[in-house]
Amino acid sequence: MNNLSIADARHLIKCEGGELTIGELLIEIATSLMVAGALARAIWVGDATAWHLFLPMVAQYLALLIAIPALYIFFRHPGLRKDVVGSLRLWAFMAIASGVAFAVQTHRSGVPWREQLNDNLTQAWRWIYDAHMHWPIVLAVAAILWGLPRRIRNLYEHGPPFSGVSLGCAMRLVVPLLGAFLVPFVASGELPVVWVLWAIILLADFLALAMHWDLQRRLRRFDEQQLKNERTTL
């Protein structure tokens, strides 16, 4: 299967939550277009910066970290335990790091901690809301939550992992490398970096979906050929 072994291809599909039906693929495409449209509106209307464009991905990651321990309350699958432990450890680390940073900030400013916390939350909210980034975040989180039942079904049918490094994340690293030739144009100001990043995110999502669909199609053909060969030998 090109440079991937059959085992690697199956592992990638499992990390993505299992095979997609045509309906699920269309919903994934529609969701990606909706998030991309909301991001484009945020750039156009709210003057969202390149930093803002990472917020939907961060929100998806945090939503997954919340969802995994919550799901374990109802689905006591042993393959989910490792992800639960990892999520709780990461939450503990972020809580400690945030607490230390907040304590240092409060000490330096001399402002009471409740007032400082209120100011920080207000600034964070205004940074998001004024750039019209709340809708892309809501849509992105809804997309990751929509895929949870498919991941649970895949976990029970094929075992762990419940979640892994997704093709979308990998594509967001590969696409910029392939598009490195755009750097001179971005540096000269001919191409706004925020729109370049927007295009990279959208292209990465569609390439990830295309790769997912292509891998599962090839695996189906391989399995059908194997079954045919077995029947022939009998």
Side-chain angles (χ1 to χ4, degrees), residues 13-133:
I13 294 298
K14 286 172 63 177
C15 287
E16 290 297 302
E19 290 192 1
L20 291 170
T21 64
I22 293 179
E24 289 171 337
L25 177 65
L26 293 176
I27 292 176
E28 291 280 355
I29 293 174
T31 303
S32 296
L33 289 175
M34 289 171 64
V35 174
L39 285 174
R41 180 179 180 275
I43 297 171
W44 188 264
V45 178
D47 292 325
T49 65
W51 292 109
H52 283 100
L53 299 191
F54 290 102
L55 291 178
M57 290 179 279
V58 173
Q60 284 184 324
Y61 187 61
L62 294 178
L64 196 58
L65 289 179
I66 294 173
I68 289 175
L71 288 173
Y72 191 66
I73 298 174
F74 305 98
F75 304 97
R76 294 283 181 170
H77 193 285
L80 192 58
R81 181 177 177 80
K82 181 180 179 181
D83 292 313
V84 172
V85 173
S87 298
L88 294 177
R89 285 178 177 173
L90 189 53
W91 275 117
F93 171 77
M94 289 190 294
I96 293 172
S98 299
V100 171
F102 179 73
V104 171
Q105 182 188 25
T106 303
H107 176 73
R108 288 183 174 180
S109 64
V111 178
W113 71 270
R114 290 186 178 179
E115 183 178 343
Q116 185 67 61
L117 179 61
N118 183 65
D119 288 344
N120 289 352
L121 293 177
T122 301
Q123 289 178 11
W125 171 246
R126 297 309 310 179
W127 186 65
I128 294 172
Y129 185 79
D130 290 346
H132 296 263
M133 282 299 300

Side-chain angles (χ1 to χ4, degrees), residues 54 57 165-181 197 199-205 207-208:
F54 290 102
M57 290 179 279
V165 178
S166 68
L167 288 172
C169 292
M171 286 298 178
R172 286 174 185 139
L173 294 176
V174 173
V175 172
L177 293 177
L178 295 178
F181 67 91
L197 182 58
I200 286 173
I201 293 173
L202 181 60
L203 181 59
D205 287 341
L207 287 177

Side-chain angles (χ1 to χ4, degrees), residues 227-234:
L227 182 59
K228 184 179 180 180
N229 292 339
E230 289 177 3
R231 288 177 177 175
T232 303
T233 56
L234 293 176

